[in-house]
Amino acid sequence: MNRIISLIIFLLLVLSTDKLNSQTWIELNNAGIEYYKKGSYKEAIGYFEKAVKQAEIEFGINHKNYASSISNLAVMYLYTRNYSNAEPMLLKAIIIIREVLGESSSEYSVSLKNLAGLYMDIGVYTKAEPLYKELVKIKKEYPEETQENYASALNSLASVYGHIGKYSEAEALYMESMKIRKEELGENHPDYASSLNNLGLLYNDMHKYKEAIPLLNEALKITKDNEGENNTAYATYLDNIATSYNRLGDFEKAEPLYLEAMRIRKEKLGVSHPDYASSLNNLSAMYGRTGDYSKAESLIIESLKILKEEHGNKHPKYTQSLMNLAVIYLETEKYTKAFELFKEINNNYINYLNDNFAFLSESEKVKFLKTIDFNFEVFYSFALEYFDQNLEIAADMLEV
C-alpha cells in the first residue's frame, strides 16, 4: 500500500503491578511484533489473534492492552488487504482508546490515521474526510503537538479533498501545510519538497500544468540535493513533471522523464509495486496520445495486473486504468473488447458513487462527479455511435 501505517504498540514492558497476569499476553504480542518486522504477516496475524483473546482474558475489553492487540491485528489485515476484517477492529480500537487514553494521546491519533488510511486505500474518500478533520483539530488544539504534526494532518485532509474534487479547499490546505514546513523545516527539507509536489500534483488535476511544473521542478531539485537521483521520491517527482508535459502535448520532454522514473521504480520497488504500475499507466497514456497504440496496450495490460493484485478489481485506480485500455480499443477499432470493458467500468463507477455520495452535500456531489464525468462522456460518445450495431450498448447507456 501507497502509505506506511503505524503500529500502535505500547506496554512492551509491563508495570510491576501487571506482571502476574500479563506475561502470556506480552509473549504473544511481542512475537507478533517480531514477525511483523520480518515482513511475515501471516505468522504475525496468528500471534496477534491469540494476543487479542489473551488480552480479553487478562485485562478485559476496556483496557489499553486489548486495544493495542486489536489495533495491531487490524494493521496486519490492512497489510494483507483484508479490509472487511480490519475496519470493525479499527473502529472498536478508536472507541476504547478514546475512553481509556483520551483524544490527546498519540495512540488515538494513530488509530484515526489507520482507519482513514483504510478508507483511502479502498477509495471511500468521504469516510476518510471526517477522520482527517478530527485529526487536524487535535493537532491544532493540543499544545503537545508540533507544527509539523499539524502540517502533516493538513496534508492528509487536502489529499481527500483532491480526490473528491474539492480543489479550492485542497489548495488552501496544501498551501498552509507548505508554509508551516517552510518556516519550521526550511526550504531544503524533504518534507517541504513533498509539499511542493503535492501542490503541483493538485495543479495537474486542475489542468494548471504551467503552474505545476515550477513547483515540481523545485521539489526535484531539493530531493536531488539531499538524496541524489536514484531514489523513489526523485522518481515520483520526475513522473509528475512528465505528466504535466504530457498533458501540455510536449511528448519529447515527457517520454524520457517517464522512462527514467519507471527505471528507478523498477530497480528500487520491483515490478509488482503499485508505483511501478503507475509508471506503466502514465507512459501508456502518453503513447496512446501519440498514436503508438501497440506500446500503449502492452503497458496498460501489465499495469492492470499489478493494480488488480494490489487493490482488487473495484478500486478507482484499477477502474481508471481499465478506462485507458478501453480508449485504446476504441482508437484501434476493437469495439467488442471496448464494450466489455465499459460494462465493468460503468459498474465500478456506479458503486464508487454509491460508496461516496451518501456523505456529500448536493454541491459537493457536483464537484465529485466532475472528477470522473469524462469517463461517462467517453462511454456515451461510443454508445451513441455504435448502439445500432449492438442493442446491448443502448441498454447499458440507459442504465448508467
Side-chain angles (χ1 to χ4, degrees):
M1 68 187 56
N2 295 335
R3 59 190 58 78
I4 299 175
I5 304 177
S6 303
L7 278 172
I8 305 178
I9 302 168
F10 43 127
L11 285 182
L12 297 183
L13 297 174
V14 281
L15 299 173
S16 59
T17 54
D18 291 331
K19 283 185 178 178
L20 292 175
N21 299 319
S22 63
Q23 186 63 42
T24 302
W25 173 78
I26 282 291
E27 289 177 349
L28 292 169
N29 200 54
N30 286 352
I33 293 166
E34 287 304 312
Y35 278 111
Y36 156 73
K37 290 178 179 177
K38 296 175 183 177
S40 302
Y41 300 141
K42 182 178 180 181
E43 290 80 2
I45 287 172
Y47 277 103
F48 283 136
E49 286 176 340
K50 293 176 183 177
V52 168
K53 294 177 182 178
Q54 191 61 29
E56 183 175 356
I57 293 170
E58 296 183 10
F59 312 109
I61 62 173
N62 293 315
H63 192 280
K64 53 189 175 182
N65 289 7
Y66 179 76
S68 170
S69 292
I70 62 173
S71 296
N72 291 343
L73 180 57
V75 169
M76 290 301 95
Y77 285 144
L78 287 177
Y79 271 110
T80 55
R81 298 186 293 280
N82 188 345
Y83 300 116
S84 59
N85 280 345
E87 182 184 13
M89 288 191 170
L90 289 171
L91 287 165
K92 190 174 183 180
I94 285 173
I95 293 171
I96 298 170
I97 291 169
R98 182 168 54 207
E99 292 176 353
V100 175
L101 299 175
E103 294 181 357
S104 63
S105 66
S106 61
E107 291 84 0
Y108 183 69
S109 291
V110 170
S111 292
L112 290 175
K113 284 194 289 187
N114 285 345
L115 184 58
L118 181 153
Y119 291 135
M120 294 294 284
D121 283 341
I122 64 176
V124 187
Y125 304 117
T126 47
K127 283 191 176 182
E129 181 182 0
L131 297 169
Y132 281 135
K133 279 185 173 179
E134 185 175 359
L135 194 62
V136 166
K137 184 174 180 287
I138 290 170
K139 300 303 180 184
K140 183 177 182 178
E141 292 183 355
Y142 288 102
E144 61 268 29
E145 294 290 349
T146 66
Q147 282 291 294
E148 171 53 25
N149 288 342
Y150 177 57
S152 178
L154 288 172
N155 211 61
S156 297
L157 182 57
S159 177
V160 173
Y161 287 151
H163 277 98
I164 62 177
K166 297 170 72 171
Y167 296 131
S168 59
E169 292 91 336
E171 182 180 17
L173 293 179
Y174 276 139
M175 284 184 165
E176 185 179 355
S177 174
M178 187 166 66
K179 180 175 179 290
I180 292 169
R181 286 176 167 172
K182 183 177 181 179
E183 292 173 352
E184 295 288 319
L185 304 173
E187 296 184 20
N188 200 42
H189 194 280
D191 287 351
Y192 179 68
S194 177
S195 285
L196 290 165
N197 173 71
N198 291 335
L199 185 57
L201 196 57
L202 179 70
Y203 285 153
N204 271 348
D205 290 338
M206 297 170 69
H207 311 295
K208 296 182 177 181
Y209 309 122
K210 291 182 180 179
E211 293 180 44
I213 290 172
L215 294 171
L216 296 169
N217 275 324
E218 187 178 352
L220 190 73
K221 181 180 183 303
I222 294 168
T223 302
K224 181 178 179 180
D225 291 345
N226 279 282
E227 304 174 52
E229 299 181 5
N230 200 34
N231 58 81
T232 56
Y234 191 79
T236 296
Y237 304 154
L238 281 175
D239 195 78
N240 292 340
I241 296 167
T243 295
S244 298
Y245 285 128
N246 178 29
R247 293 178 182 174
L248 285 169
D250 194 339
F251 307 124
E252 288 186 6
K253 287 184 179 178
E255 184 177 22
L257 297 177
Y258 274 142
L259 289 170
E260 179 63 7
M262 186 167 68
R263 181 196 67 77
I264 295 170
R265 285 171 166 173
K266 183 177 183 179
E267 178 184 319
K268 296 295 182 180
L269 302 172
V271 295
S272 61
H273 195 278
D275 286 354
Y276 180 68
S278 178
S279 281
L280 293 169
N281 182 72
N282 292 338
L283 190 59
S284 168
M286 191 207 71
Y287 286 139
R289 294 189 69 191
T290 62
D292 195 340
Y293 299 119
S294 177
K295 281 185 180 179
E297 182 179 356
S298 64
L299 289 169
I300 200 66
I301 288 174
E302 186 179 354
S303 174
L304 280 165
K305 290 178 182 177
I306 300 167
L307 291 173
K308 186 175 183 178
E309 179 66 25
E310 178 68 18
H311 298 296
N313 62 355
K314 306 294 182 183
H315 194 276
K317 290 182 179 179
Y318 178 80
T319 305
Q320 184 57 58
S321 289
L322 274 183
M323 172 56 75
N324 293 345
L325 180 57
V327 169
I328 292 170
Y329 287 151
L330 289 181
E331 295 293 338
T332 54
E333 300 182 354
K334 298 175 182 178
Y335 301 125
T336 301
K337 286 186 175 182
F339 176 56
E340 290 303 313
L341 290 182
F342 275 127
K343 288 194 289 186
E344 184 177 357
I345 291 163
N346 290 340
N347 184 61
N348 282 1
Y349 274 129
I350 289 169
N351 289 333
Y352 180 47
L353 292 173
N354 289 335
D355 286 341
N356 286 280
F357 256 36
F359 306 93
L360 298 173
S361 67
E362 290 305 312
S363 62
E364 289 172 336
K365 288 176 182 177
V366 172
K367 291 179 180 178
F368 185 79
L369 274 172
K370 286 182 179 179
T371 66
I372 60 173
D373 60 358
F374 170 77
N375 303 287
F376 289 116
E377 289 172 5
V378 171
F379 172 68
Y380 285 136
S381 177
F382 163 68
L384 287 170
E385 188 169 354
Y386 298 101
F387 78 93
D388 59 333
Q389 301 174 28
N390 187 334
L391 293 179
E392 190 180 354
I393 295 178
D396 263 45
M397 183 172 66
L398 293 173
E399 290 178 5
V400 173

